[in-house]
Amino acid sequence: LEPNSSQKKMMKKMKSFFSSSCVGRCLTNNFTWYCVCSFTHNFGVYFFWILVPLIASQQFNAAPWVLGLIQSTYYATYAIVSIPAGALGERVRVGIIARVAIVMFISAAAVVVWSPSVWLIVGVVIISAMGNTTFWTTLQGAVGKESPKETRDKRLSWFSMLYSLGKSIGMAGAGWFKSTLGPIWSFVLMAAFMGSQLLYCPLGLKPSSSSTTSKSNEMIVELQSSSS
């Protein structure tokens, strides 16, 4: 069905609002949603990383060296996967990679909560590390590639600030929710928070066009500098 004249006018007004107002530009800007993802994702990640040692020690009486092994396994995997994750980000849109990574992380967290053995937790954190490093490597790359040269540092600082804020709130809330709600409902809360990114994480630019966009932004800045 074709929209009638009143619907067309309404659509035109909405388009004008989103293109002209500050709020509209923010809501339609990829960078805004990258920042939201930065906060949301890190809230979930560090919420999870408070739950993991609590579950391992309280439910399985894990020794300190086992808790250390869980952490070292996670971060060793994170380091190893970082380089191939960056290469993947050059070939696939960030929104696709991010959604796969989110599902990987939430799935690994579910296994941890319902794990019958602490050794399964040691193995499963490899999957969570793969999801997390793939998410962060490609998302930070997208912020850099899609930002104009003159605002790139400022944008990265906002992105990092929200990343750290999500981390601090996630860690602060996890212990309280674990003691109040238990591990299962704490996981449900974390999964809902992180899973919300599936709805709003930007698809991002096509890999072939992101480098072109970055170059064109730099050319604009150079032309503005030379003309001033």
Side-chain angles (χ1 to χ4, degrees):
L1 294 175
E2 290 290 330
N4 56 40
S5 58
S6 60
Q7 290 174 329
K8 287 181 179 179
K9 287 180 181 178
M10 181 61 70
M11 290 169 66
K12 189 175 181 180
K13 287 180 180 179
M14 290 179 65
K15 186 176 181 180
S16 175
F17 168 78
F18 280 108
S19 62
S20 60
S21 70
C22 179
V23 174
R25 288 195 299 271
C26 285
L27 291 176
T28 55
N29 192 318
N30 280 357
F31 173 68
T32 300
W33 296 106
Y34 289 146
C35 284
V36 174
C37 287
S38 175
F39 173 84
T40 306
H41 193 83
N42 235 24
F43 173 92
V45 167
Y46 285 92
F47 193 104
F48 171 77
W49 272 111
I50 292 296
L51 291 181
V52 169
L54 288 175
I55 291 171
S57 59
Q58 293 175 2
Q59 294 183 201
F60 301 106
N61 296 317
W65 72 269
V66 176
L67 298 179
L69 180 63
I70 292 172
Q71 296 280 350
S72 61
T73 300
Y74 177 90
Y75 285 106
T77 305
Y78 194 105
I80 293 168
V81 176
S82 292
I83 293 176
L88 183 64
E90 298 292 340
R91 294 169 174 79
V92 183
R93 281 187 168 187
V94 61
I96 297 173
I97 298 172
R99 283 167 172 81
V100 173
I102 291 163
V103 172
M104 288 175 64
F105 195 92
I106 293 175
S107 300
V111 174
V112 169
V113 172
W114 280 281
S115 175
S117 167
V118 70
W119 299 111
L120 181 59
I121 294 176
V122 175
V124 164
V125 294
I126 294 174
I127 299 174
S128 65
M130 291 173 65
N132 195 31
T133 187
T134 303
F135 179 93
W136 282 120
T137 302
T138 53
L139 203 73
Q140 290 179 82
V143 173
K145 288 186 287 189
E146 296 182 26
S147 298
K149 187 177 180 180
E150 74 275 18
T151 60
R152 191 172 298 156
D153 290 344
K154 182 170 68 175
R155 286 190 172 193
L156 285 170
S157 66
W158 274 97
F159 183 85
S160 299
M161 183 271 289
L162 288 164
Y163 165 104
S164 299
L165 187 62
K167 176 179 178 178
S168 62
I169 295 175
M171 294 181 77
W176 184 85
F177 279 109
K178 167 67 169 60
S179 60
T180 305
L181 302 177
I184 294 177
W185 282 108
S186 296
F187 161 75
V188 170
L189 175 67
M190 185 218 75
F193 211 72
M194 291 189 75
S196 66
Q197 297 175 97
L198 298 172
L199 301 175
Y200 54 75
C201 183
L203 187 58
L205 300 176
K206 290 182 179 180
S208 59
S209 62
S210 59
S211 59
T212 305
T213 302
S214 181
K215 288 179 182 178
S216 63
N217 286 332
E218 291 179 9
M219 288 176 65
I220 291 171
V221 175
E222 289 174 2
L223 286 171
Q224 290 174 340
S225 300
S226 60
S227 61
S228 57

